Amino acid sequence: MATFAIETNNLTKTYKANWSIGAPREGGLDHKNQLAVNKVSLKVKQGEIYGLLGRNGAGKTSIMKMILGLSMITSGEVKLFGQNIKGNEKDLYPRIGSTIETPSFYPHLTGTENLEIFAKLRGTASKDAVCKALKLVDLPINDKKKFSQYSLGMKQRLGIANALMNDPEILILDEPTNGLDPIGIAEIRTFIKDLSVKQGITILISSHQLSEIEQLVDTIGIIHEGVLLEEVGMNEISNMNRRHILVEVSDVKKAVLLLEEQFKITDYQVSGSNSLKIFDLTHQTKDINRAFLDANLDVSVLALQKGSLEDYFKDITGGAGIA
């Protein structure tokens, strides 16, 4: 059995300006020879939820489309279950379910009717595939409501149901909570987690909503301007983002020396030219602040905090936010 369900090696995508005037451009790119994905090497373990994080336009959707064969690979390779997709498409792609961008269905048909059409087109073997998929996403079977009357959350769930009809071992979801209200986001998050835990499905999910991903995934890959900057487990991030005292002072070197000599604190991290994080919480902030002031250090920030995934993202991208 392969260690990785999905593996990419130096995956690269360049969009060339070879469109006719007025023709739609793939990915909405306006620049000539745009390097959208630059030598990305992902490793998604079997059975985990992997979050592909990045700003809009960072290259997340392009990566997913290349994995799924929906967009040509400029260079590099994709392996699924340890096998190169080239030459093995017929064997590998039936083992994958996906929803990329906004799910497209017939607005005048019900959810059941839509899925029945897709099941016939796809040649789904199981006779009860539609019923099973609707049940998994908690949508009614043989309901009279048309797709055009669905809420955004119901539309997203129907898209996931469509991706689940072939009992996939891998599920690839592109921004599945995009545009949902907080209740809808929580519902989709719980549902995706259950698919991983109860069904054992490997899930690759893209998002720019860090607070939601933080509660969902096992591993994250941070994509910035087409480059994979970091691939790290959420457990490791949680350890790095543990509770700490954030300090911003006029002289970090002097502050660190004072912490070590007067307070015997060695568990700290310098995180900028005038900023540091103190993880040793055995001393009160007021005592540390008084010592800094007595040493003629200007203190602009001194507060007890717990780091977030957004803080980590900004550190990795050099201060760039996710929005």
Side-chain angles (χ1 to χ4, degrees):
M1 180 179 291
T3 303
F4 302 110
I6 304 172
E7 185 176 1
T8 70
N9 296 312
N10 293 318
L11 191 63
T12 300
K13 179 64 179 180
T14 301
Y15 292 101
K16 297 181 180 179
N18 57 356
W19 309 278
S20 60
I21 296 175
R25 300 183 177 186
E26 185 177 6
L29 298 168
D30 296 322
H31 303 292
K32 293 182 179 181
N33 301 326
Q34 172 105 15
L35 183 60
V37 178
N38 187 5
K39 296 182 179 179
V40 168
S41 296
L42 296 177
K43 289 179 172 59
V44 182
K45 298 175 185 176
Q46 290 196 9
E48 76 169 346
I49 303 177
Y50 186 108
L52 197 57
L53 306 183
R55 298 165 63 93
N56 288 331
K60 305 186 301 295
T61 301
S62 294
I63 291 170
M64 289 182 159
K65 284 183 175 180
M66 284 190 285
I67 292 172
L68 291 166
L70 300 176
S71 180
M72 291 184 63
I73 297 172
T74 302
S75 63
E77 65 176 0
V78 175
K79 290 183 179 180
L80 301 176
F81 310 106
Q83 299 181 63
N84 196 308
I85 59 169
K86 290 185 178 179
N88 296 300
E89 293 88 349
K90 291 183 179 180
D91 294 329
L92 295 177
Y93 284 133
R95 301 169 67 181
I96 302 175
S98 67
T99 173
I100 301 294
E101 297 174 335
T102 305
S104 297
F105 293 101
Y106 297 104
H108 61 286
L109 299 180
T110 67
T112 300
E113 290 168 340
N114 267 290
L115 292 192
E116 286 174 344
I117 290 174
F118 280 99
K120 290 178 181 178
L121 291 173
R122 192 179 298 153
T124 303
S126 175
K127 293 181 179 180
D128 61 346
V130 172
C131 292
K132 285 173 60 179
L134 288 171
K135 187 177 180 180
L136 277 173
V137 301
D138 197 26
L139 284 177
I141 301 168
N142 295 321
D143 187 33
K144 300 299 183 183
K145 183 180 287 189
K146 308 298 184 185
F147 178 76
S148 60
Q149 300 172 311
Y150 275 20
S151 67
L152 185 55
M154 292 175 70
K155 290 178 179 178
Q156 294 284 37
R157 290 208 299 273
L158 188 65
I160 296 174
N162 186 37
L164 290 171
M165 281 199 297
N166 60 325
D167 293 325
E169 298 167 59
I170 294 174
L171 191 59
I172 296 179
L173 304 174
D174 184 25
E175 299 278 3
T177 61
N178 198 24
L180 297 182
D181 60 27
I183 294 175
I185 290 173
E187 289 176 349
I188 294 294
R189 182 181 68 230
T190 300
F191 166 67
I192 291 172
K193 193 72 174 179
D194 284 347
L195 284 177
S196 174
V197 175
K198 297 178 181 179
Q199 304 292 326
I201 299 174
T202 301
I203 299 174
L204 173 62
I205 179 172
S206 73
S207 183
H208 64 275
Q209 297 177 337
L210 299 185
S211 61
E212 293 305 316
I213 287 295
E214 192 169 12
Q215 302 176 62
L216 179 63
V217 304
D218 303 301
T219 303
I220 64 165
I222 295 178
I223 301 291
H224 186 60
E225 297 179 349
V227 178
L228 179 65
L229 298 182
E230 185 85 342
E231 197 173 47
V232 62
M234 277 304 303
N235 287 338
E236 186 176 343
I237 293 176
S238 296
N239 290 334
M240 289 187 287
N241 286 343
R242 65 190 192 274
R243 284 169 60 84
H244 61 271
I245 300 170
L246 176 64
V247 182
E248 292 187 6
V249 293
S250 54
D251 189 333
V252 167
K253 290 183 179 179
K254 187 176 180 179
V256 165
L257 187 63
L258 188 151
L259 288 175
E260 292 181 351
E261 292 184 350
Q262 184 169 330
F263 293 97
K264 309 303 180 185
I265 291 175
T266 57
D267 191 6
Y268 62 83
Q269 176 187 344
V270 176
S271 56
S273 59
N274 66 336
S275 178
L276 66 112
K277 297 176 181 178
I278 304 171
F279 298 105
D280 184 341
L281 303 181
T282 55
H283 300 276
Q284 295 188 29
T285 55
K286 64 181 182 66
D287 294 331
I288 295 174
N289 187 48
R290 171 54 58 191
F292 283 165
L293 295 176
D294 289 344
N296 295 318
L297 286 168
D298 294 328
V299 181
S300 55
V301 174
L302 195 149
L304 185 63
Q305 292 189 344
K306 184 181 187 305
S308 65
L309 182 56
E310 185 170 0
D311 295 329
Y312 186 81
F313 183 91
K314 288 181 178 179
D315 286 343
I316 296 299
T317 60
I322 192 74

